[in-house]
Amino acid sequence: MYKLLIVDDEPDIVNLLKDFFEMNGYSVMTAKNGREALDKSLKKPDLILLDVNLPDVDGFNVCARIRNLVVCPILFLTAKVTENDLLNGFHVGGDDYIIKPFSLQTLLARVEAHLRREERRSSPSEARFAGELVIDYSLRCVRCGEKTLALARKEFDIVELLSMNRGQIFDKERIYEKLWGYDSPGDSSVVAEHIRRIRAKLATVSDATYIETVWGVGYKWVG
């Protein structure tokens, strides 16, 4: 479970974000000022949502000080942003800006994108699984022995998502939202067809089971 730190002095925003992210499976810590943010950052959150305008010290100074404590993504929350703000924020170690007011679903997508990027950075570029299967995440390819599978882009995206979260169950809707986007035309039924194709391709090189269906729930990587 990912752990977020939300730093904002507006209780309504904090409560809204806390409830929303907890509903989506996150563990959430909150802070209402820079001092609390520094204290909570010692608990090593996976990502920080940091308001620029805090009552005791501005978010840029907080970010610069937190950067000495943690290496997780820091996303600024702000009602407006100038070019100087952008440059200053990135200079002190921020990773992104979220402009208020924002869509919760868009915010979730941005948070997930940063967490996936961070996960890829911290994970080995290659992983080995049953039946001599090797997934090279940096080259975006799947090999078994001397054979390389011809996976389409979305097929590899699904393999990457499931294999990097081995044992975790993802339903079709969650996979679709993560990989196609909330505003993408179509529906989650396309996920089942992609997984059918992935399984067929994996079956040509190995007898092992890699993607298991949890009936009525979703899919998980077991290889």
Side-chain angles (χ1 to χ4, degrees):
M1 178 183 292
Y2 287 118
K3 181 165 56 178
L4 304 185
L5 171 58
I6 298 172
V7 186
D8 200 301
D9 64 330
E10 298 184 49
D12 289 345
I13 290 180
V14 170
N15 292 333
L16 175 67
L17 294 180
K18 184 175 187 296
D19 290 346
F20 175 72
F21 279 103
E22 287 180 342
M23 286 174 55
N24 282 276
Y26 290 79
S27 170
V28 178
M29 301 182 291
T30 64
K32 61 180 180 291
N33 54 49
R35 180 183 55 78
E36 285 189 6
L38 291 169
D39 290 342
K40 296 288 180 68
S41 67
L42 296 175
K43 297 182 180 180
K44 305 298 181 185
D46 297 299
L47 183 141
I48 299 172
L49 294 174
L50 176 60
D51 186 29
V52 171
N53 297 309
L54 295 173
D56 53 348
V57 57
D58 71 63
F60 298 131
N61 286 322
V62 174
C63 179
R65 295 166 69 181
I66 285 177
R67 268 290 166 250
N68 295 320
L69 305 173
V70 298
V71 294
C72 71
I74 299 175
L75 281 59
F76 288 114
L77 303 176
T78 181
K80 61 180 181 178
V81 60
T82 66
E83 184 176 0
N84 284 338
D85 289 335
L86 283 171
L87 295 175
N88 190 25
F90 292 133
H91 177 73
V92 297
D95 295 280
D96 203 354
Y97 278 86
I98 309 295
I99 308 299
K100 299 177 181 178
F102 45 76
S103 155
L104 289 176
Q105 296 294 350
T106 298
L107 175 61
L108 177 62
R110 298 275 282 277
V111 166
E112 289 179 337
H114 280 281
L115 289 172
R116 286 198 302 271
R117 191 174 301 120
E118 195 68 18
E119 194 171 64
R120 284 195 291 267
R121 287 174 182 168
S122 60
S123 299
S125 61
E126 228 180 56
R128 296 180 179 274
F129 299 93
E132 298 185 353
L133 192 79
V134 176
I135 301 177
D136 190 320
Y137 298 107
S138 58
L139 296 179
R140 291 180 59 82
C141 70
V142 178
R143 304 189 307 274
C144 191
E146 297 181 356
K147 297 180 180 179
T148 300
L149 297 187
L151 295 180
R153 182 170 64 88
K154 278 292 190 287
E155 291 171 355
F156 184 85
D157 289 343
I158 291 173
V159 168
E160 179 182 43
L161 173 65
L162 296 180
S163 65
M164 291 184 75
N165 297 278
R166 186 174 181 176
Q168 183 176 341
I169 302 171
F170 291 85
D171 60 33
K172 289 187 297 184
E173 290 73 21
R174 190 75 167 144
I175 295 172
Y176 187 81
E177 289 171 357
K178 280 178 171 290
L179 302 183
W180 274 262
Y182 295 97
D183 301 324
S184 179
D187 58 65
S188 61
S189 62
V190 70
V191 172
E193 176 60 21
H194 276 71
I195 287 180
R196 184 191 66 78
R197 293 177 185 173
I198 294 167
R199 284 171 167 162
K201 292 177 180 181
L202 290 170
T204 65
V205 296
S206 175
D207 294 329
T209 297
Y210 298 100
I211 300 176
E212 181 178 290
T213 299
V214 181
W215 294 107
V217 183
Y219 305 98
K220 66 178 180 179
W221 187 271
V222 295

